[in-house]
């Protein structure tokens, strides 16, 4: 991505019309490999997917989740802030590009920057952090491009495919972003 402009994306409120896209993406094990999802197939039914989106819309689950939309209006994924701690001014970032045709082109980086901007300005957070599996090298590279720094390793932090895997905790401070 060095030297290239990032693609333009918007992050918008979720709607129930996003259900089918989200459901289809969750059927793809390559898309869900690094996401914290139940180890069953499919991980969620259409009804569960719709219910989750409704919870996000009503803000009853602690997630500030947004749809990622290309400049052409194509819904390609989601980004969220969760575990929001207003007292201490921090939250956890999560992101997924569900439509694999948009992988590796900077869409995730662009959406992440939009969500960071929103979190630091609208929510007035001081720190946004994330957890990423140690073998997710592409994501780690993308997070570093966004300015995230490593805080430490969370040992055996996620149960995946029959065993525990380590995750890296990374964070970005408002003053580092702005």
């Amino acid at each position: 991505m060095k030297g290239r402009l990032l693609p333009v994306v918007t992050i918008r409120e979720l709607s129930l019309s996003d259900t089918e896209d989200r459901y289809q993406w969750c059927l793809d094990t390559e898309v869900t490999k690094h996401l914290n999802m139940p180890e069953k197939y499919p991980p969620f039914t259409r009804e569960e997917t719709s219910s989750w989106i409704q919870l996000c819309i009503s803000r009853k689950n602690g997630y500030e989740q947004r749809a990622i939309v290309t400049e052409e209006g194509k819904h390609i994924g989601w980004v969220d802030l969760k575990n929001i701690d207003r007292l201490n001014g921090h939250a956890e970032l999560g992101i997924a590009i569900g439509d694999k045709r948009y992988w590796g082109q900077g869409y995730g980086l662009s959406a992440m920057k939009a969500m960071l901007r929103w979190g630091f300005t609208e929510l007035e957070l001081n720190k946004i952090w994330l957890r990423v599996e140690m073998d997710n090298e592409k994501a780690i590279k993308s997070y570093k491009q966004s300015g995230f720094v490593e805080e430490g390793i969370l040992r055996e932090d996620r149960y995946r495919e029959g065993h525990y895997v380590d995750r890296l905790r990374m964070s970005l401070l408002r003053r580092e972003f702005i």
Side-chain angles (χ1 to χ4, degrees):
M1 291 309 315
K2 269 195 171 148
R4 283 187 9 210
L5 291 176
L6 290 176
V8 175
V9 299
T10 56
I11 55 172
R12 63 158 170 78
E13 295 284 337
L14 293 176
S15 76
L16 288 176
S17 65
D18 296 327
T19 300
E20 188 61 24
D21 287 339
R22 175 76 67 96
Y23 176 72
Q24 291 300 322
W25 296 332
C26 288
L27 294 178
D28 187 329
T29 56
E30 194 175 5
V31 170
T32 61
K33 177 180 180 181
H34 295 289
L35 301 178
N36 202 15
M37 295 196 166
E39 290 200 4
K40 62 179 181 144
Y41 190 84
F44 304 105
T45 64
R46 272 188 185 84
E47 293 75 22
E48 290 169 327
T49 303
S50 180
S51 294
W52 172 257
I53 289 173
Q54 186 59 52
L55 285 172
C56 289
I57 292 168
S58 66
R59 300 215 170 27
K60 291 185 178 172
N61 61 357
Y63 279 66
E64 288 287 346
Q65 194 165 93
R66 303 290 184 271
I68 303 169
V69 180
T70 67
E71 191 172 22
E72 298 76 31
K74 174 92 171 109
H75 176 220
I76 62 168
W78 68 89
V79 61
D80 57 48
L81 292 174
K82 55 191 173 268
N83 297 318
I84 299 169
D85 181 341
R86 294 192 186 272
L87 178 64
N88 294 299
H90 63 79
E92 181 180 9
L93 177 84
I95 186 167
I97 300 297
D99 189 328
K100 293 190 302 190
R101 295 172 293 181
Y102 293 86
W103 284 11
Q105 299 175 50
Y107 287 93
L109 192 57
S110 188
M112 193 170 16
K113 287 186 179 216
M115 189 57 129
L116 289 167
R117 190 175 310 106
W118 184 79
F120 287 131
T121 58
E122 298 301 314
L123 295 181
E124 299 179 344
L125 297 171
N126 181 59
K127 177 165 85 170
I128 296 176
W129 58 276
L130 57 86
R131 293 173 287 181
V132 58
E133 293 170 15
M134 298 294 294
D135 63 348
N136 194 348
E137 295 170 11
K138 287 181 183 178
I140 293 169
K141 181 180 177 187
S142 178
Y143 298 140
K144 285 181 178 180
Q145 282 182 300
S146 293
F148 280 85
V149 298
E150 297 180 11
E151 288 190 337
I153 296 172
L154 302 167
R155 300 176 323 134
E156 296 186 2
D157 194 54
R158 177 171 176 228
Y159 190 74
R160 184 184 83 195
E161 300 171 350
H163 64 281
Y164 290 96
V165 295
D166 294 344
R167 290 198 278 189
L168 178 63
R169 179 164 160 147
M170 302 177 78
S171 69
L172 181 65
L173 302 176
R174 179 184 342 179
R175 70 175 180 268
E176 297 166 337
F177 181 75
I178 298 182

